[in-house]
């Protein structure tokens, strides 16, 4: 089967940890043929089908030159057995436009994972608000006065942009309220942009756990991203340390409650972020941590994903 990955430039992959690379490697080992393109290479001409300028590639096993290009050509997306949307955030206008093109490709017969409409309907921070029973005190607003009232009630809070990734733009404001006004102005752009505000969860010292759910079923291990030094952010991109560990009872409860709901909406792969007992984000664009979990526990996450993909086709 030919499988197309819509992703960031291959040349920028850090293959020692990249989840998309781990997917490609597992699928190639199973005999599938791999191709790749970037969202900017998608196109749709009046009266025609959604196409992309794609590179058919073979993974080489060489860390320094990890892929070779077998051919470059324009192809219609419906001619692939599966299309995997693995573009990293930001979840900006260009990302949304790409989902519209991918959704049109679906209407033409393409099989796209995660489903484009589901990607649009589940922005990664806002998506948690549907599952109020599993989240801590949380506010989404562009109103500075609302943020001040939330801080007055909860004393120690986290503020973050709705479209950030990798820990970018995350601020903690403690009980003294130092710089709350300035931080609010920076994030809400003087009242023109919505911000997520959450009660600070001290359990972050034990890690921000990434719980992976594939085909509605939880991977039995999470990756706890643990902040280092004085850093409040646990994201690996912000210097956090990743420690794989078995799911707790609460982790499993959350995954078993959310997993089937999200899978039924077309989300084959989801990464649920959990601090303590609370969900803080639901990642659907390009969830990661496959390699870290496999390397530390031996549980073959890429194989579980490939099984679920093949079963969905």
């Amino acid at each position: 089967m030919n499988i197309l990955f819509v992703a960031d430039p291959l040349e920028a992959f850090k293959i020692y940890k990249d989840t998309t690379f781990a997917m490609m490697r597992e699928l190639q080992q199973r005999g599938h043929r791999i191709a790749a393109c970037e969202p900017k290479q998608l196109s749709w001409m009046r009266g025609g089908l959604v196409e992309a300028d794609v590179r058919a590639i073979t993974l080489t096993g060489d860390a320094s030159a990890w892929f070779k290009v077998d051919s470059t050509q324009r192809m219609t997306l419906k001619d692939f057995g599966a299309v995997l949307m693995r573009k990293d955030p930001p979840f900006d206008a260009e990302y949304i436009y790409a989902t519209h093109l991918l959704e049109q490709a679906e209407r033409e017969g393409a099989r796209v994972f995660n489903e484009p409409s589901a990607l649009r309907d589940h922005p990664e921070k806002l998506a948690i608000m549907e599952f109020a029973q599993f989240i801590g005190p949380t506010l989404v607003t562009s109103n500075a006065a609302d943020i001040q009232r939330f801080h007055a009630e909860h004393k120690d809070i986290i503020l973050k942009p709705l479209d950030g990734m990798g820990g970018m733009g995350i601020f903690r404001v403690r009980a003294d309220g130092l710089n709350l006004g300035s931080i609010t102005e920076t994030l809400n752009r003087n009242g023109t942009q919505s911000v997520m505000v959450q009660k600070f969860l001290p359990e972050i010292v034990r890690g921000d756990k990434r719980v992976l759910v594939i085909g509605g079923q939880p991977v039995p291990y999470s990756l706890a991203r643990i902040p280092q030094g004085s850093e409040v952010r646990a994201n690996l991109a912000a210097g956090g340390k990743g420690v794989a560990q078995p799911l707790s009872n609460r982790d499993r409860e959350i995954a078993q409650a959310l997993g089937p709901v999200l899978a039924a909406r077309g989300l084959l792969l989801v990464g649920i972020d959990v601090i303590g007992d609370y969900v803080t984000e639901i990642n659907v664009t390009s969830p990661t941590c496959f390699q870290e979990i496999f390397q530390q526990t031996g549980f073959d996450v890429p194989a579980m994903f490939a099984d679920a993909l093949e079963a969905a086709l």
Side-chain angles (χ1 to χ4, degrees):
M1 178 170 58
N2 286 336
I3 299 176
L4 174 65
F5 285 81
V6 182
D8 291 294
L10 300 180
E11 291 78 6
F13 278 30
K14 298 177 180 178
I15 64 169
Y16 66 91
K17 67 174 184 177
D18 193 280
T19 288
T20 302
F21 167 78
M23 292 175 174
M24 291 177 170
R25 181 173 57 190
E26 175 65 24
L27 290 166
Q28 179 175 285
Q29 288 172 352
R30 294 181 180 216
H32 300 296
R33 296 176 296 278
I34 306 300
C37 73
E38 299 172 43
K40 67 182 182 182
Q41 293 168 317
L42 299 170
S43 64
W44 183 20
M45 173 119 18
R46 185 186 67 174
L49 303 175
V50 175
E51 301 176 318
D53 293 318
V54 307
R55 293 188 287 179
I57 64 170
T58 300
L59 278 62
T60 64
D62 182 347
S64 60
W66 65 271
F67 71 94
K68 69 181 183 70
V69 178
D70 300 318
S71 65
T72 301
Q73 60 183 314
R74 178 161 292 192
M75 294 182 63
T76 56
L77 269 61
K78 74 177 185 64
D79 290 335
F80 288 92
V83 177
L84 302 184
M85 177 53 159
R86 289 289 301 172
K87 173 71 177 68
D88 284 342
F91 192 83
D92 55 12
E94 283 302 314
Y95 190 100
I96 293 172
Y97 298 150
T99 68
H100 284 293
L101 292 179
L102 291 171
E103 190 171 16
Q104 172 60 23
E106 280 188 318
R107 289 190 285 267
E108 297 163 0
R111 299 296 306 278
V112 184
F113 304 92
N114 286 323
E115 286 189 12
S117 60
L119 290 173
R120 287 199 307 275
D121 290 345
H122 297 81
E124 299 186 324
K125 294 178 174 63
L126 275 176
I128 69 171
M129 301 297 279
E130 177 183 351
F131 305 100
Q133 69 273 35
F134 292 115
I135 70 175
T138 302
L139 168 69
V140 177
T141 185
S142 60
N143 188 294
D146 288 346
I147 295 173
Q148 290 172 347
R149 283 190 288 270
F150 188 90
H151 177 261
E153 178 180 359
H154 297 291
K155 310 300 182 187
D156 197 351
I157 65 173
I158 293 290
L159 302 94
K160 53 189 174 183
L162 292 178
D163 60 354
M165 65 166 290
M168 292 186 297
I170 294 178
F171 295 90
R172 179 183 180 184
V173 177
R174 300 174 189 259
D176 59 12
L178 187 64
N179 287 331
L180 177 59
S182 177
I183 291 168
T184 299
E185 291 169 5
T186 299
L187 292 180
N188 80 345
R189 298 184 182 178
N190 293 310
T192 64
Q193 185 163 298
S194 295
V195 178
M196 176 165 277
V197 193
Q198 295 173 301
K199 181 181 179 181
F200 175 74
L201 300 173
E203 294 85 354
I204 186 64
V205 298
R206 297 196 294 274
D208 179 354
K209 293 174 287 185
R210 168 62 54 82
V211 178
L212 292 168
V213 180
I214 300 174
Q217 299 299 314
V219 172
Y221 297 90
S222 70
L223 188 76
R225 287 78 53 86
I226 302 172
Q228 300 297 294
S230 60
E231 180 61 71
V232 70
R233 299 173 299 171
N235 311 72
L236 299 181
K241 178 182 179 182
V243 178
Q245 57 191 35
L247 297 186
S248 69
N249 290 336
R250 177 63 168 176
D251 296 338
R252 193 170 295 277
E253 177 189 5
I254 290 168
Q256 290 175 340
L258 274 60
V261 173
L262 297 172
R265 296 175 183 175
L267 296 167
L268 182 69
L269 171 61
V270 173
I272 303 172
D273 289 349
V274 179
I275 298 176
D277 290 335
Y278 298 107
V279 175
T280 60
E281 291 188 18
I282 299 175
N283 295 269
V284 300
T285 53
S286 57
T288 61
C289 302
F290 278 30
Q291 294 207 62
E292 293 89 346
I293 291 173
F294 175 65
Q295 290 162 2
Q296 295 184 39
T297 71
F299 183 84
D300 198 337
V301 188
M304 180 178 175
F305 174 80
D307 287 344
L309 177 64
E310 291 173 340
L313 295 171

